[in-house]
Amino acid sequence: MIALIDYDAGNMRSVEKALTYLGERPVITRKREEILKAERIILPGVGSFGDAMENLERFRLSEVLKEAAKRQIPLLGICLGMQVLFEASEESPGVKGLGILDGQIVRIPKKEGLKIPHMGWNSLSCAPDGTLFEGLPDHPYVYFVHSYYLKAKDPQIVKAMAEYGVMIHASVESGNVFGCQFHPEKSGETGLHILRNFIERQGE
């Protein structure tokens, strides 16, 4: 069973629809027992870092997600859902992220001719060992919507990058924890392939 985390900050229906198309029957939940029994967990996210963390705390999901990560349940954060896996964000000073992974979320710098938010299709430069990108051609195109981006502390966990004025850490992988700054559920066949790779990933 795939648990889709419901914390009033997710692009829930689009992700649910993509998973259903792939033959899965995801459960939208915020129940601790369901989440910790899941075979896979997906944390979507749209909106602000501070609001997302407030909701995760309000629904007592922060500790559940940390526990799930410790139990080695495969966990995928999407867009804001990836950002909150890290320590903090310039978007919401003073607000702590989940801290499951080490790194900071920073604002895309202003640059002439560069629109913020970064919205639309962009190509990825993928590491050869990225689980989510197995079977994809070099430099696949995916769909982004964001104004802030990840700077991971450990470059070894970065499995895809995108250029938009700066080099964006667009996807990470650390053991059982995965993240995509882009939206696989809005990225056509490429995005479905990425979600399928996450679903079919075998345990270490």
Side-chain angles (χ1 to χ4, degrees):
M1 180 267 283
I2 298 176
L4 262 178
I5 304 300
D6 178 13
Y7 64 116
D8 292 348
N11 187 29
M12 204 68 62
R13 296 303 170 188
S14 295
V15 179
E16 180 188 29
K17 185 177 179 180
L19 293 172
T20 301
Y21 180 85
L22 291 172
E24 300 298 320
R25 299 178 68 181
V27 174
I28 297 174
T29 183
R30 60 178 66 133
K31 294 179 181 178
R32 179 180 185 277
E33 297 78 12
E34 285 186 328
I35 294 167
L36 295 178
K37 286 181 180 177
E39 296 171 351
R40 303 280 188 277
I41 299 169
I42 297 180
L43 180 66
V46 293
S48 78
F49 188 95
D51 288 345
M53 285 309 305
E54 181 180 344
N55 288 352
L56 287 173
E57 294 292 343
R58 177 160 58 96
F59 296 127
R60 300 180 181 179
L61 288 166
S62 294
E63 293 307 316
V64 176
L65 290 168
K66 292 176 187 178
E67 185 175 347
K70 287 180 181 178
R71 291 191 185 190
Q72 302 295 306
I73 302 171
L75 167 62
L76 171 64
I78 295 175
C79 196
L80 180 62
M82 180 191 81
Q83 294 184 1
V84 297
L85 296 176
F86 288 84
E87 297 167 286
S89 173
E90 288 183 351
E91 184 177 21
S92 303
V95 176
K96 290 184 178 181
L98 295 172
I100 292 171
L101 299 174
D102 296 331
Q104 303 289 322
I105 309 302
V106 298
R107 184 167 176 81
I108 297 172
K110 292 182 180 179
K111 193 173 181 180
E112 188 175 351
L114 203 69
K115 292 183 178 180
I116 300 174
H118 173 206
M119 183 181 297
W121 295 85
N122 202 345
S123 63
L124 299 175
S125 296
C126 302
D129 60 343
T131 301
L132 297 182
F133 305 100
E134 289 180 3
L136 285 172
D138 293 340
H139 306 296
Y141 276 80
V142 293
Y143 191 82
F144 288 86
V145 184
H146 65 122
S147 300
Y148 293 81
Y149 72 100
L150 166 67
K151 293 179 75 173
K153 184 175 181 180
D154 179 6
Q156 295 299 314
I157 74 170
V158 179
K159 301 305 178 184
M161 300 183 74
E163 186 175 0
Y164 194 73
V166 293
M167 292 306 295
I168 291 164
H169 291 174
S171 185
V172 295
E173 178 180 339
S174 178
N176 62 301
V177 181
F178 300 79
C180 297
Q181 179 60 68
F182 55 90
H183 287 272
E185 77 282 4
K186 295 182 178 180
S187 298
E189 289 297 325
T190 295
L192 291 173
H193 188 104
I194 289 167
L195 288 173
R196 188 181 294 110
N197 280 346
F198 173 69
I199 293 165
E200 294 178 354
R201 172 188 178 273
Q202 300 299 311
E204 298 299 330

